[in-house]
Amino acid sequence: EAGVVQSPRYKIIEKKQPVAFWCNPISGHNTLYWYRQNLGQGPELLIRYENEEAVDDSQLPKDRFSAERLKGVDSTLKIQPAELGDSAVYLCASSPPGGFGENTEAFFGQGTRLTVV
Amino acid sequence: GENVEQHPSTLSVQEGDSAVIKCTYSDSASNYFPWYKQELGKRPQLIIDIRSNVGEKKDQRIAVTLNKTAKHFSLHITETQPEDSAVYFCAASKDTGFQKLVFGTGTRLLVSP
């Protein structure tokens, strides 16, 4: 079974430039998450999708970050314009539907390491 | 919101020793507690999880214990091996049909041969 696929793996951009990350979740996983992981820290949730609907984006900096999951499968996360503090690893994860409201395992992608210079 | 604290930040042990990593959480409604292992430059991977209806769960050399009253849970690794060296993250969330994992800050475990 293919895992969560993210691209690119690495990205270096100058501040004020736009950048986009792409994620293809595991087939059949209706829940998709974008996390940001700063160096030496645990992942922090940016946004969660249930199918094509963003159901939790309370931690997404909406002035410069946007995300979409138009057909409820692939997703893109965009930053425009990027700032120096956006340098981090951006992780995508997906999970299958759970039964009876139970949480199910989140499977992570390899991440995109963004460096803003 | 939920806040998860994790200790220690680094842990060095000799091969064969046991390692214990501890986490505390703030939201008494949290009832799902996974542990993830992240090797350098790789993705976090689930190694074990526990729900609040049990106090302990084991899987070969790893075990997790949960104390709901004190709101803390711990990861125990016995007979450590060099390949156990990685960063370990605890997390907490509520069982609401989806995950909103709140992660701890991680513990870097180094197992020396």
Side-chain angles (χ1 to χ4, degrees):
Chain A
E1 176 184 274
V4 176
V5 178
Q6 289 187 247
S7 67
R9 287 292 313 277
Y10 306 93
K11 189 73 176 179
I12 301 175
I13 62 170
E14 292 183 343
K15 62 181 180 182
K16 299 184 181 180
Q17 294 302 305
V19 64
F21 314 123
W22 176 80
C23 173
N24 180 234
I26 294 172
S27 177
H29 285 195
N30 60 323
T31 306
L32 183 146
Y33 317 80
W34 282 102
Y35 284 87
R36 176 170 58 190
Q37 186 174 23
N38 292 311
L39 188 65
Q41 300 293 315
E44 295 178 301
L45 181 68
L46 292 174
I47 190 169
R48 178 177 63 84
Y49 282 92
E50 292 293 329
N51 299 306
E52 66 275 9
E53 183 182 0
V55 295
D56 186 352
D57 62 356
S58 57
Q59 297 186 178
L60 188 74
K62 299 182 182 62
D63 57 336
R64 297 184 299 107
F65 286 65
S66 64
E68 60 182 17
R69 193 185 185 198
L70 293 177
K71 296 184 178 181
V73 181
D74 294 1
S75 177
T76 55
L77 177 68
K78 299 177 181 178
I79 308 175
Q80 182 171 11
E83 297 179 353
L84 295 176
D86 296 330
S87 295
V89 175
Y90 290 82
L91 292 163
C92 178
S94 70
S95 60
F100 301 103
E102 282 197 342
N103 285 321
T104 55
E105 178 182 351
F107 294 81
F108 284 86
Q110 294 273 38
T112 296
R113 181 177 297 279
L114 173 67
T115 302
V116 182
V117 297
Chain B
E2 176 65 276
N3 182 51
V4 177
E5 295 188 356
Q6 183 171 348
H7 301 281
S9 57
T10 59
L11 179 59
S12 295
V13 299
Q14 292 292 122
E15 182 176 0
D17 288 350
S18 295
V20 180
I21 302 171
K22 299 181 179 181
C23 287
T24 60
Y25 61 98
S26 61
D27 190 345
S28 56
S30 290
N31 55 7
Y32 175 67
F33 308 94
W35 285 88
Y36 283 82
K37 175 183 180 182
Q38 187 174 29
E39 298 178 24
L40 188 62
K42 296 189 176 181
R43 72 190 76 194
Q45 291 191 298
L46 181 73
I47 55 171
I48 195 167
D49 57 12
I50 191 168
R51 299 182 188 278
S52 59
N53 56 346
V54 297
E56 184 176 3
K57 184 177 179 181
K58 291 183 179 180
D59 183 3
Q60 299 182 343
R61 296 186 297 108
I62 60 174
V64 58
T65 59
L66 171 66
N67 183 325
K68 287 189 296 182
T69 303
K71 290 190 284 187
H72 67 70
F73 56 112
S74 301
L75 178 71
H76 305 253
I77 306 175
T78 58
E79 301 173 26
T80 54
Q81 302 168 3
E83 50 265 39
D84 294 330
S85 296
V87 178
Y88 291 80
F89 292 98
C90 63
S93 75
K94 305 174 191 178
D95 243 346
T96 53
F98 57 84
Q99 285 193 16
K100 184 174 182 177
L101 290 172
V102 177
F103 285 85
T105 50
T107 296
R108 183 172 301 278
L109 174 65
L110 177 61
V111 181
S112 302

